[in-house]
Amino acid sequence: MPPTTMQTVLLATDRRAGPLSAVASPPMLPVGDRPLAAHAARAAAAAGATELVFAVDDNAGHVQSHFGSRYAGVPVTYAFPDGPGVVAALDAVADRLDGGAVVLDAARLYDPAGVAALFEHDAAVGVRGGDRGSADEGAGTVPPPLRAAVDGVDRGASLAAVVRSVVDDPVSVDVGDAVAVRRPASLVAANRHALAGAPATPPSSLPGSTAVSGRVGVAPDASVAPSATVEGPALVAGGATVGPDAVVSGPAVVGPDAVVESGARVESALLLERATVAAGAGVVGAVLGPGCSLGADASLAGVTGDRGRGAAAVVPDVRPARLRYW
């Protein structure tokens, strides 16, 4: 049986996001209507986490401003590791954890059922899609005594090695096909997964002649022209505008205050806050960063396969202090 106290450590120190590092650290990149890390945090809270402990670095301000001292009904605290990796993060939190701990990579989108399954064991390592030979290095359950586990392995060890340092045969738990966000392509892929379960806006709340199909979420203060077409899965965030004859084809997110002008097309793409696609322009398989614009009749395209590989990105020169999500 797992311990009665199950704190959750969220590893939010990953900086590997390619060009998207100019936008935010991977855990704070937008996936659906919230940062990527929020999906793991909510899944942990729903599974019974008694505390969320974020391991942060220079993204601390952004993370703290979003999650505060309580999130999804669960207390939140922060730790500052002295280096990258699982062992450094666990070392930073070991003395404050008084029972078992579920560890999640905040830069991955997990299946909530897989996260819940981790809470059923006092010592487990996550495996992807049931592949028992492939441990997910960013998911598992560390049993007490955590300090002994951390002190017993090298600093560069994996989470699986930490668990196995105190348990001979930990349980393998299927955490599903977790999407690790490292590049624009994987961010598009993560959004595709998240949008599949996003809440839909009843067509009655949209202009009567707007062509809407699939799961489409539209914020109350967004503007969608009557002659526009929105094909889900898609989200249109607060203050965003979808102009006349424009087409938004999912998976797609039109972020806060973003603009899709008349006749423009957005397909398998993410427009972050204040991004603009000018009249007649097209964005396909791409990420358009905060405040970035695509001129009239221009095209921006990546080559997207089943996993969204090859997505393009346009990012700002200066990284924003924080992002808006919905």
Side-chain angles (χ1 to χ4, degrees):
M1 292 292 293
T4 55
T5 298
M6 288 294 278
Q7 292 150 294
T8 297
V9 178
L10 292 143
L11 307 176
T13 57
D14 197 331
R15 305 178 187 180
R16 299 169 295 171
L20 294 177
S21 297
V23 174
S25 64
M28 298 307 291
L29 289 170
V31 174
D33 61 353
R34 65 197 68 164
L36 173 58
H39 292 271
R42 285 182 178 271
T50 56
E51 181 183 1
L52 303 175
V53 184
F54 282 89
V56 295
D57 52 14
D58 58 0
N59 65 356
H62 194 181
V63 176
Q64 289 172 312
S65 68
H66 187 87
F67 292 98
S69 61
R70 195 171 188 86
Y71 187 77
V74 179
V76 178
T77 58
Y78 302 89
F80 300 84
D82 60 6
V86 172
V87 177
L90 293 180
D91 188 37
V93 304
D95 294 333
R96 71 174 73 179
L97 301 182
D98 52 13
V102 171
V103 181
L104 298 173
D105 181 353
R108 297 186 187 217
L109 182 68
Y110 291 100
D111 178 356
V115 173
L118 288 170
F119 279 77
E120 298 174 3
H121 305 280
D122 63 357
V125 292
V127 295
R128 295 186 294 273
D131 181 1
R132 302 296 173 179
S134 178
D136 186 324
E137 305 297 1
T141 308
V142 181
L146 180 56
R147 172 57 63 191
V150 174
D151 290 344
V153 297
D154 295 332
R155 297 284 286 183
S158 67
L159 178 59
V162 174
V163 177
R164 292 187 177 110
S165 70
V166 291
V167 179
D168 290 335
D169 190 19
V171 177
S172 293
V173 173
D174 184 354
V175 293
D177 293 322
V179 180
V181 174
R182 301 285 185 264
R183 296 289 185 270
S186 52
L187 181 61
V188 173
N191 273 274
R192 179 169 61 248
H193 282 277
L195 292 176
T201 298
S204 60
S205 66
L206 295 171
S209 57
T210 303
V212 178
S213 62
R215 300 188 67 84
V216 174
V218 180
D221 57 340
S223 174
V224 180
S227 60
T229 298
V230 184
E231 302 168 344
L235 291 180
V236 182
T241 300
V242 180
D245 300 316
V247 176
V248 175
S249 181
V253 174
V254 182
D257 295 325
V259 177
V260 183
E261 293 186 354
S262 175
R265 182 176 184 85
V266 174
E267 179 180 349
S268 297
L270 312 177
L271 308 186
L272 305 191
E273 61 175 303
R274 298 176 290 101
T276 298
V277 181
V283 178
V284 180
V287 178
L288 195 59
C292 295
S293 299
L294 185 65
D297 299 317
S299 295
L300 174 66
V303 179
T304 58
D306 291 341
R307 290 186 162 180
R309 290 189 174 132
V314 176
V315 298
D317 293 332
V318 179
R319 180 172 175 172
R322 56 185 55 87
L323 294 177
R324 291 167 55 213
Y325 299 94
W326 180 248

